[in-house]
Amino acid sequence: MAQKPKVDPHVGRLAYLQALVTEFQETKNQDAKEQVLANLANFAYDPSNYQYLRQLQVLDLFLDSLSEENETLVEFAVGGLCNLCTDRANQEHILQAGGPALLISCLSSPREETVLSAVTTLLYLSPSSAHPELTAPPVVQCMLRFSLSANTRLRNLAQIFLEDVCSPSQVAEARHWGTHSALGIPLPKD
């Protein structure tokens, strides 16, 4: 079992979040890293923390963590981004920092929660975006496959993505593209 983060909860919010970021950056213990990243992702749920999290560059920390080999870090990072992306300034930062490509790569995760958070984040990013990679044929085809999933949550999110983000012509094109384009984006394990 991982230790609790080594920060004093009686300090101010900014100082507390700074202590978490510092601990994440300095610790070599993977369990501690996972716990701190989970805490930061939970703090990302509260809009009153958005300004502090942007100031502390936590969005970049989450984005950087999407490339980790540790699937738990990826899961917590994409969950944190999902929590943050309801805010317009956070959406813009994620889009400008190359977030779409990193999030799309999470669609091939074997972890259900990672995939669900990635799809949800892509949904939040799409209305404010002129980023064509969000509706590239392999992504649309992946959503078509997810819309056939036995997992109700994944199936429903994919259907919303197809209806709200994609044009009918994009869906039709992806249907006719053939099964080869979504290789490497398997359904997540239940």
Side-chain angles (χ1 to χ4, degrees), residues 4 18 30 49 57 64 71 121 145 157 163 166 169 178 189:
K4 291 198 175 230
Q18 175 65 67
Q30 283 299 305
N49 293 324
Q57 300 177 338
D64 290 344
E71 290 288 339
T121 305
R145 290 184 62 238
L157 279 172
E163 292 173 6
C166 304
S169 63
K189 295 177 179 135

Side-chain angles (χ1 to χ4, degrees), residues 6-137:
K6 300 172 189 164
V7 292
D8 182 355
H10 302 292
V11 299
R13 188 178 298 223
L14 177 61
Y16 185 79
L17 292 169
Q18 175 65 67
L20 285 173
V21 170
T22 300
E23 183 175 353
F24 180 83
Q25 292 169 334
E26 291 179 355
T27 188
K28 302 292 184 220
N29 181 308
Q30 283 299 305
D31 289 338
K33 262 185 153 19
E34 291 170 5
Q35 187 171 12
V36 171
L37 201 62
N39 285 330
L40 287 169
N42 287 334
F43 278 107
Y45 188 73
D46 184 350
S48 63
N49 293 324
Y50 289 171
Q51 175 186 351
Y52 301 124
L53 295 171
R54 280 193 299 268
Q55 182 180 342
L56 297 170
Q57 300 177 338
V58 172
L59 283 92
D60 292 322
L61 187 143
F62 287 150
L63 288 166
D64 290 344
S65 295
L66 294 181
S67 301
E68 291 284 336
E69 289 184 25
N70 179 328
E71 290 288 339
T72 302
L73 290 178
V74 174
E75 180 179 331
F76 294 149
V78 75
L81 290 169
C82 187
N83 287 340
L84 288 166
C85 72
T86 58
D87 178 76
R88 185 100 168 134
N90 292 339
Q91 289 173 2
E92 288 304 317
H93 184 88
I94 293 166
L95 290 166
Q96 295 299 322
L102 294 167
L103 290 160
I104 290 167
S105 72
C106 290
L107 296 175
S108 63
S109 174
R111 292 195 174 194
E112 175 183 284
E113 290 303 319
T114 299
V115 174
L116 291 168
S117 293
V119 173
T120 303
T121 305
L122 291 170
L123 276 166
Y124 277 116
L125 293 177
S126 60
S128 66
S129 174
H131 290 265
E133 67 263 35
L134 295 176
T135 54

Side-chain angles (χ1 to χ4, degrees), residues 168-182:
S169 63
Q170 289 170 319
V171 174
E173 179 185 347
R175 284 188 201 277
H176 290 82
W177 235 42
T179 57
H180 66 279
S181 66

